[in-house]
Amino acid sequence: MLTTLQTSYTDTRAADLAWALGRDRLPALAVLNLELASAKVELRLLGASHQVLLEEGEVRCSETVACMPGSCTPLPLGVAKRVGDWEYEFAARVETLSQGSFAGRAQELLALVADHPNGLAGTFPGSPHAFTAMLVQRHEGQVRWRTWHAYPQEGQLVATRTRVGVRMAAAL
């Protein structure tokens, strides 16, 4: 699903993004609710930021990547944590692209997410390449999502990848 977000572009720099696990639901500009087998997933666009809420059985997981005033946790390159009986893995990277490469990559990502039944993307008024996009899937008992946060004025694209699932027993 592709939407134009009815807000001004407030997150102005990739370096302003912070990561948080376990935050309460924040006000969203666009929401996509999905059921992936027994998992309930809520994709939430928070301006140029995102929040993913995942619930399966008794376990709940909330991931937020946003400009959060007072946050002391900058966007990490990687995180691995236990959330109840689940293993949570998060990774992020920042790509700096030329203006032409940025525009092409933005169009490619928006096309991928806009037509996907488990995708949500929001563009900002004034720049077709300023967007936040999310795509979720269930694979082999795990829920996985990817997000992209575009900062055309810097030529930077922040990409995140998350995997949440039941811890697998080690083979003997």
Side-chain angles (χ1 to χ4, degrees):
M1 178 171 90
L2 178 62
T3 186
T4 300
L5 301 172
Q6 301 304 315
T7 187
S8 60
Y9 189 63
T10 55
D11 293 348
T12 58
R13 297 177 38 227
D16 292 338
L17 286 175
W19 168 87
L21 191 61
R23 286 192 68 132
D24 289 335
R25 181 177 275 111
L26 296 172
L29 299 171
V31 176
L32 179 62
N33 289 299
L34 299 164
E35 289 198 28
L36 304 175
S38 59
K40 293 179 183 178
V41 181
E42 190 173 320
L43 301 178
R44 302 172 62 78
L45 293 179
L46 317 172
S49 313
H50 82 261
Q51 187 173 50
V52 177
L53 306 176
L54 171 62
E55 180 181 328
E56 188 167 11
E58 297 298 313
V59 183
R60 287 169 177 68
C61 178
S62 166
E63 173 188 282
T64 306
V65 172
C67 294
M68 295 178 275
S71 175
C72 58
T73 307
L75 192 64
L77 295 177
V79 174
K81 289 188 170 269
R82 291 207 40 144
V83 177
D85 291 334
W86 291 346
E87 293 290 326
Y88 168 92
E89 292 181 9
F90 171 87
R93 75 178 194 288
V94 179
E95 297 177 60
T96 301
L97 304 164
S98 69
Q99 189 174 9
S101 294
F102 189 93
R105 183 76 172 130
Q107 289 174 340
E108 175 185 276
L109 289 169
L110 286 171
L112 170 73
V113 175
D115 293 333
H116 197 285
N118 298 342
L120 175 63
T123 59
F124 292 87
S127 175
H129 303 127
F131 68 91
T132 300
M134 304 188 298
L135 187 61
V136 65
Q137 67 180 32
R138 186 169 186 106
H139 181 71
E140 296 180 354
Q142 298 179 336
V143 178
R144 301 175 182 191
W145 59 87
R146 297 184 66 188
T147 73
W148 299 271
H149 303 255
Y151 298 90
Q153 73 282 9
E154 301 184 300
Q156 291 190 319
L157 184 67
V158 177
T160 74
R161 182 183 306 252
T162 302
R163 181 172 58 97
V164 180
V166 176
R167 185 175 172 157
M168 300 295 178
L172 298 177

